[in-house]
Amino acid sequence: MEPPPPCSAAGRAAALAAACINYRRGGPSRGLELRAVTAAATQDIDNVGRKYHLKLVLEDILEKDNVVNCTAEILYHLGNKNAAPDVDFTIEGELKNTDEQDNIFYNQIKSLKKELVAQNIPDSHGNVPPEMEPIRLLARVAAGYVAWQNSTENTRYELAQIKDVRQVKRSDDYLEFDYMVLLHEFVSQEIIPWQMRVLWHPQHGVKVTQNSRQPKPAEY
Amino acid sequence: AGDEAQLALLQDLEEQVDLQVDFWRGPTKPGLPADLRVPFQSLQAVKSFLEANDIAYSIMIEDVQDLLDEEKMTMTLSRRLQRSTATFDFASYHTIEEIYEWMDELVAAYPSLVSKLEIGQSYEKRPLYVLKFSTGGSGRPAIWLDTGIHSREWITQATGVWTANKVGAGDASVTAILDSMDIFFEIVTNPDGFAYTQSTNRLWRKTRSINAGSICVGVDPNRNWDAGFGGAGSSSNPCAQTYHGPYAHSESEVKAIADFILLHGNVKAAVSIHSYSQMLMFPYGYKTEAAPDYEELNELAAKAVQDLAAVYGTRYTYGSIVDTIYEAAGTTVDWAYDNGVKYSYTFELRDTGRYGFLLPASQIVPTAQETWPALLDILLHALEHPY
C-alpha cells in the first residue's frame, strides 16, 4: 500500500536523518540516499523541542538495489537555535562491505605523484569523471555533517557542487582534502559556499576537522 | 627505452622539472616505447639528449595545439549540424541559440500544426517565444505549458524540447487533445537567466532585472505572480533567491504570460515545470486552506504519478504546494488557478538531490519519457472535463 505523501516538514526531517546516516556510514565507496519515508510522526516536548519519529528507506547510490530500512528520531531544540538537532537512528540489516573499493581508492590517491586538485564536480552538464566519484561521495559524507550541524526544522541542505578540492599533503596514513563546495538550501533556495577540511582513512572513517560558511560572491 | 640504462635516462628526463616534459606513456620496461609531450622551448634540449644517448625516437604529433584547435572546430561544426530536427541531439543540453534554431526547424517541419509566437521580451530584450500547436479552429480551449522559469533547472528546458518535439511530430497519444484544444508551450521562459547560467553562474535561478538601490540582481519569477503576492514563502530582500520583486508582475517575463493567458480567455490547464524534488503539486502555495477543487486535483495527481512511476520506477510525492514542499507566495500555478484555470499543476522533475540541478544529460530522455504519461493524464483530464 502506498504511503501517504509526507508533509513538507517531515520531508525535511527525513532528509536530515538521511544526511546524518550518510555522514556516519558513508564513505568514498558508499553513498546512502533517501528513497522513501514510510512513516512520520511528531511529538512536542514541553520546554525542549519537537521530536520527529521516522521510518525511512535508504538506498545505496552505487547500487540502487541495495536498500535498507531505518528508524530515526530527530529532536529539534527549542531553546538554543544554534544547537544541532539530536539525531538517533538504527539501520535494519547489513550495508554492503566496501573495504575493497575503499582500499583501491586509498592506494590510487597514495600513489599520485602530485596532490590531487580538481574543480566543478559535477560539471555544468552533470558529468563526474569516474575517478572523481569517490571524491564526490566523500564530499557528500562531509556535507551531511555540515547539514546536520546547521539544520533547523525549516532547512534542508543538499550538496549542489564541489567548486574546488585540493588534497592536503600529510606525513601519516590519513588522506586529507580541502573542499570548497556549494550547498543548496531548499526552503530559501539559496546556494551557500562552504569550506570543509575532511580527513579519511579506510579503517578510521570520515572526519570533518574544520568547516566554515563562506561569503556569497556578488554574482550569486 | 632500449635497455635498462636507457630506461634510467628517460626516468631522469622525467625528473628534470624545468624541462616540463609530459609523459603520456611513461618509461616502464626496456623494449616498451615511451610517449612524451615536449614544450616548444625544451624541444632542442630533449632532442639533443635523446640523440646523444642513442635513444631512437619518432615524432607522432608535430603540434598538439593544432590538434586541439581542429578538435574545437569539429565540435563547433557538429553543433551547427545538429540544426535539423531529425539529427537534433535530445540527449544533451543546448544553448539558447541552439534551442531557438531547433524551434524554427520544428515549425518548418510541421507548418500545419506548429507556429511560433513572440509574447513579449525579457528584461535584457530577448524574445519570449511560445510554440503554438493547433489543428485549426479559433479560440479553442487551450493548455499552457512552461519550462525553464528558473534558469538553473536545466532538465526542464531539455524536457521541454523533447516534449514539444513529440507533440509537433504528431504523437498518436496527443491527437485526441489536438482535435479540439490548442497547446501553448514556452520552453525558455527565463532566457536572461538561462544565458547567465551558461556564461557566468550555472546555479542562477532568478531573472536578471536590475533592482533599484541594490547591488543584487534579479527577481524570483515564481514569486512574482499576483496570488498572495508578498506573503510568507517569498522574500522582500533583493539579494534573496525568493525575492518577489517590487510589485506583482514587475518582471516582463511574468507579465507576458499573465497578459497572454488573460487575453486568450480560454486556457483550461496550466502546467509549470521545475526541478528538482520529484513532486507533482497543485494550488495552493500561498495559503494552507485547501483549494475548492482539492479532491479532484489530488486524485488526478495520484494517477499521474502512478503512470510516471510505471515507466522507470521513479517515485514522486504529490499534493498541494504548501503540504508537499513549502509555503510559497506569488507562484505561477496559484495565479493561474485563481484566474480560472482549474487544472493548474507544477512538476518538480528529477532528481531528489544526488545531482540536483546538475542532472547528467544521460537522464534527459528518460526524464522526459516518464513525465510524458503524467502530463498526458492532466491534459486528457482537462479535455474530458470541460468547464
Side-chain angles (χ1 to χ4, degrees), chain A residues 39-217:
Chain A
T42 54
Q43 179 196 3
D44 280 327
I45 305 174
D46 280 344
N47 300 318
V48 178
R50 178 170 297 148
K51 201 176 234 201
Y52 286 77
H53 300 267
L54 304 166
K55 278 197 168 30
L56 314 169
V57 181
L58 299 188
E59 76 181 29
D60 186 334
I61 283 180
L62 296 178
E63 276 185 49
K64 293 233 150 230
D65 293 330
N66 209 359
V67 153
V68 284
N69 294 323
C70 308
T71 53
E73 271 178 16
I74 305 199
L75 174 62
Y76 293 102
H77 295 281
L78 240 184
N80 184 4
K81 290 296 177 181
N82 289 325
D86 293 343
V87 181
D88 289 304
F89 63 88
T90 45
I91 300 179
E92 290 161 36
E94 290 284 304
L95 290 170
K96 184 170 172 281
N97 184 290
T98 57
D99 288 350
E100 199 186 317
Q101 299 96 301
D102 281 347
N103 284 322
I104 291 174
F105 169 65
Y106 182 77
N107 290 321
Q108 263 171 5
I109 302 292
K110 275 290 184 191
S111 66
L112 288 176
K113 292 204 172 156
K114 281 187 301 189
E115 281 76 42
L116 181 144
V117 174
Q119 277 94 28
N120 292 333
I121 301 165
D123 66 15
S124 283
H125 293 223
N127 297 316
V128 178
E131 65 273 13
M132 286 300 154
E133 190 63 42
I135 295 285
R136 192 174 75 98
L137 288 175
L138 193 57
R140 224 174 146 265
V141 171
Y145 172 78
V146 172
W148 168 36
Q149 293 297 301
N150 293 276
S151 282
T152 69
E153 247 180 300
N154 297 309
T155 61
R156 179 186 149 192
Y157 292 95
E158 296 287 343
L159 173 64
Q161 190 182 38
I162 298 168
K163 280 312 275 181
D164 191 279
V165 55
R166 271 145 222 268
Q167 184 182 359
V168 178
K169 200 174 174 136
R170 285 187 75 89
S171 49
D172 61 15
D173 276 350
Y174 281 80
L175 297 186
E176 187 173 6
F177 299 94
D178 195 288
Y179 285 94
M180 183 64 74
V181 300
L182 296 176
L183 299 181
H184 171 222
E185 200 289 296
F186 238 81
V187 178
S188 65
Q189 289 294 329
E190 293 296 333
I191 301 292
I192 308 168
W194 212 288
Q195 176 266 336
M196 318 184 293
R197 249 326 157 93
V198 184
L199 220 53
W200 178 73
H201 186 282
Q203 271 89 61
H204 304 305
V206 182
K207 200 167 158 65
V208 180
T209 54
Q210 181 255 324
N211 75 91
S212 59
R213 189 186 177 125
Q214 298 297 300
K216 201 165 89 150

Side-chain angles (χ1 to χ4, degrees), chain A residues 5 7-8 12 33 35 61 113 124-126 136 156 158 160 182 184 186 188-191 216 219-220, chain B residues 14 152 196 201-202 204-205 239-241 276-277 315 318 322-323 325-326 352 354 357-358 360-361:
Chain A
C7 80
S8 46
R12 290 191 287 275
E33 186 178 50
R35 182 190 263 205
I61 283 180
K113 292 204 172 156
S124 283
H125 293 223
R136 192 174 75 98
R156 179 186 149 192
E158 296 287 343
L182 296 176
H184 171 222
F186 238 81
S188 65
Q189 289 294 329
E190 293 296 333
I191 301 292
K216 201 165 89 150
E219 78 267 15
Y220 285 9
Chain B
E14 203 175 2
R152 63 191 179 197
Y196 198 68
N201 180 354
R202 173 63 178 82
W204 187 261
R205 165 186 170 91
C239 298
Q241 293 302 301
Y276 60 92
S277 274
R315 292 146 201 268
Y318 63 94
V322 71
D323 281 346
I325 194 168
Y326 41 49
T352 54
R354 180 177 167 190
F357 300 120
L358 307 180

